Amino acid sequence: MDTTVVERELELRLVLAPDHSVPIPARLTYLVDDPYAVHITFHIDSGHPVDWTFARGLLVEGVFRPCGQGDVRVWPSKSGARSVVLMALSSPDGEALLEAPTAQVSAWLEQTLLAVPPGTEADRLGLDDGLAELLAR
């Protein structure tokens, strides 16, 4: 299995009110052997990082237009003169609205798309090889 990892550290903003947000250090991670998912780790003051995993396609689409429903929604916006991507995350433990710089998210996503082009994700899972091996028995 290919263990290529595409990572990027960046500072997100946790939006607490329309005119108030706080910085949240985060890491975006993409694993070639988990090709449909993106992982975001938030380093908050609790001492335990908070991890979220959702579809890479959701984040790719959310850079350009509102998408998602339920636990994860993503959409483009502006914060002053800056282009940002907003991510609304919801869980039984609470909800969060996060703001990420579009340029940094887009550059990282581009690297993930070069590592595993859209439409080739299933090839990375080795399902055909595994199925062939099972059927050969």
Side-chain angles (χ1 to χ4, degrees), residues 12 14 24-25 39 54-55 62 75 77 88 104 120 127 133-135:
L12 303 180
L14 175 62
I24 302 286
H39 307 273
F54 55 90
W75 65 96
S77 189
Q104 291 180 31
T120 67
L127 295 177
E133 184 179 323
L134 280 174
L135 295 174

Side-chain angles (χ1 to χ4, degrees), residues 1 125-137:
M1 277 245 160
L125 297 176
L127 295 177
D128 290 337
D129 294 339
L131 185 58
E133 184 179 323
L134 280 174
L135 295 174
R137 293 183 184 169

Side-chain angles (χ1 to χ4, degrees), residues 45-120:
D45 291 336
S46 70
H48 300 287
V50 175
D51 297 305
W52 273 80
T53 301
F54 55 90
R56 175 176 72 165
L58 184 65
L59 190 54
V60 169
E61 185 176 346
V63 168
F64 299 103
R65 66 187 147 272
C67 64
Q69 56 186 346
D71 294 345
V72 180
R73 292 178 295 121
V74 185
W75 65 96
S77 189
K78 293 279 186 190
S79 179
R82 298 181 316 119
S83 291
V84 296
V85 177
L86 292 173
M87 294 176 277
L89 308 176
S90 175
S91 79
D93 295 327
E95 297 182 357
L97 179 59
L98 297 152
E99 180 182 282
T102 301
Q104 291 180 31
V105 171
S106 295
W108 176 78
L109 281 170
E110 188 174 312
Q111 289 180 320
T112 76
L113 296 171
L114 289 171
V116 179
T120 67

Side-chain angles (χ1 to χ4, degrees), residues 10-43:
L10 73 161
E11 184 177 277
L12 303 180
R13 307 252 352 138
L14 175 62
V15 179
L16 302 173
D19 60 345
H20 183 64
S21 63
V22 295
I24 302 286
R27 177 186 300 119
L28 300 174
T29 304
Y30 179 76
L31 307 167
V32 168
D33 59 0
D34 187 10
Y36 290 105
V38 294
H39 307 273
I40 303 178
T41 302
F42 306 104
H43 304 285

